[in-house]
Amino acid sequence: MYQVVPGGAGGTITDVIPKQKRSKDTRPLVGAGVIGLVLVIAAVTAWCYYIASLRKAELLKTQLLDLNKDGYIIRNQGGSIVFRMDFRSGTLDLDSCTKEGELLSCSKTTDRKLNFFIETVRPKDTVQCYRVRWEELVPDIAVEHAMTYKFAHWYGGAVSAIQHWPISISGQQAPKPFVTSDIYSNRNEFGGILESYWLSSNATAIKINNSVPFHLGWNDTEKTMYFQARYNDSPFKADPNEAPCAELSYRVCVGLDVTSIHKYMVRRYFNKPNKVPSQVMFSHPIWSTWALHKTDIDQEKVLEYAANIRKYNFNCSHLEIDDRYTRRYGEFEFDPAKFSNASAMFQKLKSDGFLVSLWIHPFVNYDSDNFHSCVKRGLFVREPTGQLPALVRWWNGIGGILDFTNPEARDWFASQLRSLRSRYGVTSFKFDAGETNYLPWKFSTRTPIRDPSFFTRRYTEMAIPYNDRAELRSGYQSQNISCFFRPIDRDSVWGYELGLKSLIPTVLTISILGYQFILPDMIGGNAYPNRTEGNGPLPDRELYIRWLELSAFMPSMQFSIPPWEYDNEVVEIARKYTALHQSLVAPRVLELAGEVLGTGDPIIRPLWWIATGDETAYKIDSQFLIGDDLMVAPVLEPGKQERDIYLPAGRWWSYKGERFDIKEPLHLTDYPVDLDEIAYFLWV
């Protein structure tokens, strides 16, 4: 043992103390401390993350809308979810989202930049709207949102070959162009009257902006409708001065009830007619040669048809000479082989009190005398390069289709119609076709159009000079053309596929889309071979009578197959209902027609219009209202002389003189309705 003594060379005094080992008993305490510290740090971190999440969650709320990375939901004032939209074209990067006032915007998805925003707009105390836009910054990327439809019943969109009310979706369909089509020959497409607008029973409505290259699909397993914007593999065209970057933009509005939200949407977003067609169109039936004679029409048959209308004491708004009065399609002169003296025929009809309209279409067949001059003058729609006219196939052959974006083509077509009017005294025209499916998939027009359905709009404008008595079967943003619109040809059958049962759902759908002057096609259907129920060339007698009764409560009536082709009883029933239409229905319809100019509200209304919270009323497709005070319940089943009727709460007076003063809705089960009757009830 030794000790260093102070004072050595340069040294310091150091005591050497031997090391002592820690006790094994203290080690668990140290470990616990470390773990505790880690837990504290984790808790603080979690709390900070939680607070940040709350702030982000608060950031991603705007009024009654909650946004997340995969979509958004909207609630009503009661807190119930009324609308859900999922994003299928990307996942939002929520860290890129900001909120300024009522504008919530995001600049990125998880893999690319974009422009996205939702803006809250409260136009009135009872309505909340959301402007939504998803704009891609990379060309040829489709934007797709998926709307869940399981929360409610939905209405609107387009007419279809199999029409239901509310919309009934079956199967799966990848998004396809939402454009006008002839659904008689293309039964899986969208119809000739369409608008990108839908309405639900939970007081929610969605309107796609007109600038969107809109494609619609669906999946009944997922209960979703796919709203897609794209330019790739599509007839829609991007602005030639910009990159083809798709944008899906739309408005979602929520109101207090289905009727009030629809009224708001129609007043805000739809065109409205600026005049009411001729009153006689509402009061007296139109008589067409089509279903009776098809293309086998001539001067003798027209005069005989008119003579029989007078012989059987029927009124007539006007007589319509339909297909094949000309020698070839695209000509505007009467075929002298079939009409030996057309001028004399018109003079005879005029002296007998008949006004006459003619069937017309936008095609000029290649064998027509006018075809080559139209080619030379550049009046046809052209193939994509614009160098050559496009030949198109339609139901009466092959030819060119007039380019109604071309002022010269419009003038040429209008001059042909004016010539017919001045030479023969033609009062108006039945404008057939006009759907975009008769355009080539890729085409060019004199004035470029980005949305193919705008061609339909341009065609319908040709009816404006004749809109007192004109008839159109296609429409897109065409509510202000102010003439009668007709659903596509009906088959002479009972069912929902272009049959009698489809008529009410189709008329209700057209009404919701803003078209209120509706001509429900020919009584009994068109009697096409293999698409007619009956033992001969005529539609089934019972079907014809039930169709006649229903048509009497529509805005306008149209005969082609005349009642005298059956028997005296049918003639008497026809007289009864044309008189009832004139005395009861037409005055109400005309009063409502005047209101349409300012409001756009339907003339033919669903039952939920006056029973907004009634779940049963949302689903009824075989009854309807004229205004608010006349409810109609036709028989639409073969072999039936009774039907179930749903009466909303109120005071009703039946056509039989019965009174119903009810505070709750009432089901009338097996209510008797004879073959010569249609059930209707007046609100008193």
Side-chain angles (χ1 to χ4, degrees), residues 10 50 63 243 246 250-251 286 303 325 392 419 437 452 535 541 556 574:
Y50 173 67
Q63 299 291 338
Y250 52 88
R251 291 174 184 258
I286 301 162
L303 292 173
Y325 58 88
V392 300
S419 176
N437 68 290
N535 296 322
R541 181 179 184 273
S556 186

Side-chain angles (χ1 to χ4, degrees), residues 214-287:
F214 184 55
H215 298 66
L216 179 67
W218 55 84
N219 186 317
D220 68 343
T221 302
E222 299 177 355
K223 305 300 180 188
T224 54
M225 294 170 63
Y226 304 138
F227 296 162
Q228 187 188 81
R230 76 168 192 262
Y231 293 111
N232 190 32
D233 187 29
S234 171
F236 288 90
K237 300 173 185 176
D239 187 327
N241 299 316
E242 299 177 2
C245 296
E247 174 191 308
L248 180 61
S249 54
Y250 52 88
R251 291 174 184 258
V252 180
C253 293
V254 182
L256 296 180
D257 59 69
V258 60
T259 301
S260 63
I261 193 62
H262 177 66
K263 286 183 175 183
Y264 169 76
M265 297 297 285
V266 168
R267 285 157 176 73
R268 178 68 179 81
Y269 297 114
F270 285 2
N271 293 323
K272 296 170 191 63
N274 50 46
K275 61 174 289 190
V276 176
S278 172
Q279 290 191 13
V280 74
M281 284 276 288
F282 295 91
S283 301
H284 297 166
I286 301 162
W287 296 78

Side-chain angles (χ1 to χ4, degrees), residues 6 74 510 540 613-614 626 656:
I74 300 174
I510 294 172
D540 175 76
D614 190 333
I626 301 175
K656 297 180 180 182

Side-chain angles (χ1 to χ4, degrees), residues 582-594:
Q582 183 175 352
S583 64
L584 174 66
V585 178
R588 276 178 167 76
V589 169
L590 278 166
E591 182 181 354
L592 293 164

